[in-house]
């Protein structure tokens, strides 16, 4: 392996440094004798005013041929030499084995047409820029960090018109495809409990296990003993305390005498009270740490999972969109149908839900019930309060309507 003794030769004042050149469009071709076929001629320029300390180190290298002109600078936007390293050139004397090392300059030469095109593109872009774009350019160059963050956030949230049009078209197509799929393969609606459309008896349309699962039923049997052992004085006290909805208290006053039936009905009434309590909770109440504190954890977690959504913007918070509130109402009314042997007084359950009996009746029709109205349609006063004279009774009768559940 050849070795050499290195000798660093410092640059004389105003001396010419060796020049290293690279071309952006590739290497230039040469003939067998090493001469350039394109006949390049190089010109080297330096800043004339040597008193200017900032500009006196500026250099420009120009290479010209008959077909092309190349420019390179050691300053400005077209300077591509790294300031983090130092370029050196070594001249090796093979007879003595010495190598003199000189400081060198690196120039990147690019066709002048690129420089012209870049300048033209920059001028055109300035002409076509809107006021907002110009303002963004100023903010990017001179704005504070706060203004820059606001600008970046606004630009991320901008939606191009063509992108929006494409998104809308795709959404419409997807909706149409989904509609055709539903027509071809009808599925049970998720807004009502699972049902048997071909049931021959009302008790077979909706199964209790789809409302209250067996583990939940076993969990609720202990707390339900309070309702099971209720008496008239206790019920009057609960009514004054508003502990249970009126629908629950009304049924607690007429409980069956058979112990097994009484215990079973107590479990159903207590579970129904849990769902009605959840139905009345507003946004602030449903996001409290002790929400549904009187409900067993297994049942509380299931109710929150089925009828609420986690807020994606605020971790730990929950939302109750309208479709889930309607779903909860369906489960409440179906359980009321099971409790009342599939004949429900819409006025009674509507009072506990704080809902107009007409709306309750309409929802009962969605569940497959037929609704009968009795009365004059006038209003009368009962105990100083105005009450509706009409009584609406919802009955679940089989076979179900042929267009159920799309009523």
């Amino acid at each position: 392996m050849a070795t050499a003794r290195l000798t660093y030769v410092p640059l004389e004042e105003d001396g010419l440094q060796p020049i290293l050149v690279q071309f952006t469009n590739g290497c230039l071709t040469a003939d067998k004798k090493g001469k350039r076929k394109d006949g390049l001629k190089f010109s080297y320029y330096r800043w004339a005013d040597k008193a200017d300390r900032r500009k006196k180190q500026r250099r420009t290298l120009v290479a010209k041929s008959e077909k092309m002109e190349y420019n390179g600078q050691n300053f400005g936007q077209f300077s591509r030499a790294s300031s983090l390293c130092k370029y050196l050139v070594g001249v090796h004397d093979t007879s003595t084995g010495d190598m003199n090392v000189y400081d060198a300059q690196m120039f990147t030469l690019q066709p002048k047409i690129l420089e012209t095109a870049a300048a033209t593109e920059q001028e055109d872009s300035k002409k076509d820029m809107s006021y907002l774009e110009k303002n963004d350019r100023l903010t990017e160059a001179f704005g504070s960090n706060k203004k820059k963050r606001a600008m970046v956030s606004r630009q991320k949230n901008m939606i191009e018109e063509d992108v929006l049009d494409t998104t809308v078209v795709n959404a419409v197509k997807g909706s149409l495809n989904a509609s055709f799929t539903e027509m071809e393969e009808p599925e049970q609606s998720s807004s009502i409990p699972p049902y048997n459309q071909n049931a021959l008896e009302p008790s077979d349309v909706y199964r209790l296990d789809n409302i209250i699962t067996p583990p939940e039923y076993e969990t609720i049997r202990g707390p339900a003993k309070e309702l099971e052992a209720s008496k008239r004085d206790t019920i009057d006290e609960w009514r004054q305390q508003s502990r249970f909805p009126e629908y629950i208290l009304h049924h607690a006053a007429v409980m069956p005498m058979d112990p097994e039936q009484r215990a079973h009905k107590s479990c159903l009434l207590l579970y129904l009270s849990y769902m009605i309590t959840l139905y009345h909770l507003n946004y602030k109440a449903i996001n409290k740490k002790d929400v549904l504190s009187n409900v067993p954890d297994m049942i509380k977690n299931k109710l929150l999972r089925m009828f609420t959504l986690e807020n994606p913007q605020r971790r730990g918070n929950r939302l109750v969109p309208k479709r889930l509130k309607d779903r909860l109402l369906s489960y409440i009314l179906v359980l009321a149908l099971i409790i009342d042997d599939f004949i429900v007084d819409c006025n009674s359950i509507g009072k506990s839900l704080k809902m107009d009996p007409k709306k309750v009746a309409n929802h009962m029709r969605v569940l497959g019930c037929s609704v009968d109205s009795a009365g004059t349609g006038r209003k009368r006063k009962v105990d100083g309060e105005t009450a509706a004279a009409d009584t609406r009774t919802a009955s679940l009768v089989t076979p179900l309507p042929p267009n159920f559940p799309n009523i």
Side-chain angles (χ1 to χ4, degrees):
M1 183 176 179
T3 58
R5 293 184 298 274
L6 301 181
T7 303
Y8 175 74
V9 181
L11 178 66
E12 299 180 0
E13 187 175 357
D14 296 335
L16 181 62
Q17 291 178 280
I19 297 174
L20 302 177
V21 176
Q22 62 178 358
F23 293 85
T24 57
N25 57 339
C27 299
L28 301 182
T29 57
D31 56 13
K32 295 181 179 180
K33 297 181 179 180
K35 295 183 179 181
R36 292 182 300 274
K37 291 183 179 180
D38 48 9
L40 283 177
K41 295 182 179 180
F42 290 89
S43 301
Y44 184 77
Y45 303 91
R46 67 176 65 184
W47 194 258
D49 187 7
K50 298 181 180 180
D52 191 337
R53 294 182 179 179
R54 186 172 62 89
K55 297 181 179 180
K56 70 177 184 178
Q57 300 298 333
R58 292 185 175 182
R59 301 289 187 269
T60 300
L61 183 65
V62 179
K64 293 182 180 180
S65 68
E66 295 180 357
K67 299 180 181 180
M68 187 66 68
E69 179 177 340
Y70 300 88
N71 287 346
Q73 300 169 339
N74 66 349
F75 63 93
Q77 61 176 332
F78 296 107
S79 175
R80 300 189 181 182
S82 175
S83 61
L84 301 179
C85 62
K86 189 174 184 180
Y87 297 93
L88 299 172
V89 172
V91 180
H92 183 214
D93 188 348
T94 56
S95 60
T96 62
D98 295 333
M99 177 181 286
N100 294 332
V101 180
Y102 304 88
D103 291 316
Q105 296 182 87
M106 172 64 75
F107 285 90
T108 300
L109 297 183
Q110 57 186 2
K112 191 174 182 180
I113 186 173
L114 297 178
E115 181 180 356
T116 306
T120 305
E121 182 181 356
Q122 187 174 4
E123 291 179 0
D124 293 341
S125 63
K126 289 182 179 179
K127 292 179 182 178
D128 297 337
M129 281 194 303
S130 64
Y131 171 79
L132 183 60
E133 291 173 338
K134 293 179 181 178
N135 193 34
D136 288 345
R137 293 284 294 274
L138 290 174
T139 302
E140 186 177 356
F142 307 105
S144 62
N145 291 334
K146 184 177 180 180
K147 286 188 175 182
K148 288 180 180 179
R149 287 195 299 268
M151 180 189 69
V152 172
S153 178
R154 176 176 54 78
Q155 291 175 347
K156 286 182 178 179
N157 294 328
M158 289 177 64
I159 302 178
E160 298 293 340
E161 293 183 359
D162 54 346
V163 176
L164 181 60
D165 293 340
T166 304
T167 304
V168 172
V169 171
N170 293 337
V172 173
K173 290 181 180 179
S175 178
L176 292 175
N177 294 335
S179 300
F180 290 133
T181 303
E182 290 178 0
M183 292 175 63
E184 294 173 358
E185 299 179 2
E187 296 181 356
Q188 293 194 0
S189 174
S190 61
S191 61
I192 63 177
Y195 56 87
N196 179 12
Q197 192 168 1
N198 301 319
L200 300 178
E201 297 292 336
S203 58
D204 296 331
V205 178
Y206 297 104
R207 294 187 58 186
L208 179 61
D209 290 349
N210 293 326
I211 308 295
I212 307 175
T213 62
E216 288 177 310
Y217 190 89
E218 292 298 324
T219 302
I220 209 174
R221 291 183 67 174
K225 291 187 179 296
E226 186 178 20
L227 273 174
E228 183 181 349
S230 62
K231 298 181 180 179
R232 178 175 294 275
D233 295 341
T234 309
I235 294 172
D236 291 340
E237 183 179 352
W238 288 343
R239 182 175 283 110
Q240 293 177 359
Q241 298 173 352
S242 300
R243 182 171 179 182
F244 293 103
E246 184 60 32
Y247 180 87
I248 306 298
L249 297 177
H250 173 74
H251 283 73
V254 291
M255 295 280 272
M257 297 302 296
D258 182 76
E260 291 186 3
Q261 295 181 3
R262 189 181 184 92
H264 176 68
K265 196 166 188 177
S266 298
C267 293
L268 303 189
L269 289 173
L270 186 57
Y271 197 95
L272 181 63
S273 70
Y274 293 157
M275 290 198 293
I276 294 177
T277 300
L278 177 61
Y279 185 81
H280 289 309
L281 293 181
N282 55 22
Y283 174 79
K284 185 177 181 180
I286 206 170
N287 285 296
K288 289 184 176 179
K289 292 183 178 180
D290 57 344
V291 60
L292 300 177
S293 56
N294 296 328
V295 180
D297 290 340
M298 176 190 294
I299 300 173
K300 177 174 68 174
N301 294 335
K302 176 203 169 181
L303 294 179
L304 293 178
R305 184 176 65 255
M306 285 187 63
F307 305 114
T308 66
L309 292 176
E310 291 187 2
N311 189 345
Q313 297 180 352
R314 300 186 63 181
R315 188 176 182 182
N317 281 23
R318 291 190 169 272
L319 302 173
V320 186
K322 186 178 183 305
R323 64 179 180 85
L324 290 184
K325 192 143 190 173
D326 290 341
R327 184 183 186 187
L328 175 58
L329 177 61
S330 297
Y331 276 70
I332 290 173
L333 296 180
V334 168
L335 186 54
L337 283 169
I338 295 174
I339 292 173
D340 283 332
D341 294 327
F342 306 99
I343 301 176
V344 173
D345 183 356
C346 297
N347 297 55
S348 177
I349 189 66
K351 185 177 180 180
S352 295
L353 293 171
K354 299 179 182 179
M355 181 182 296
D356 190 282
K358 292 182 180 179
K359 293 184 178 180
V360 176
N362 291 335
H363 208 99
M364 283 294 195
R365 291 189 181 96
V366 175
L367 295 173
C369 297
S370 59
V371 179
D372 297 327
S373 298
T376 61
R378 299 177 182 176
K379 293 184 177 180
R380 56 187 175 85
K381 287 189 175 181
V382 179
D383 297 333
E385 296 183 0
T386 302
D390 287 345
T391 301
R392 290 177 172 81
T393 303
S395 304
L396 185 62
V397 182
T398 53
L400 295 173
N403 56 345
F404 175 80
N406 300 317
I407 299 176

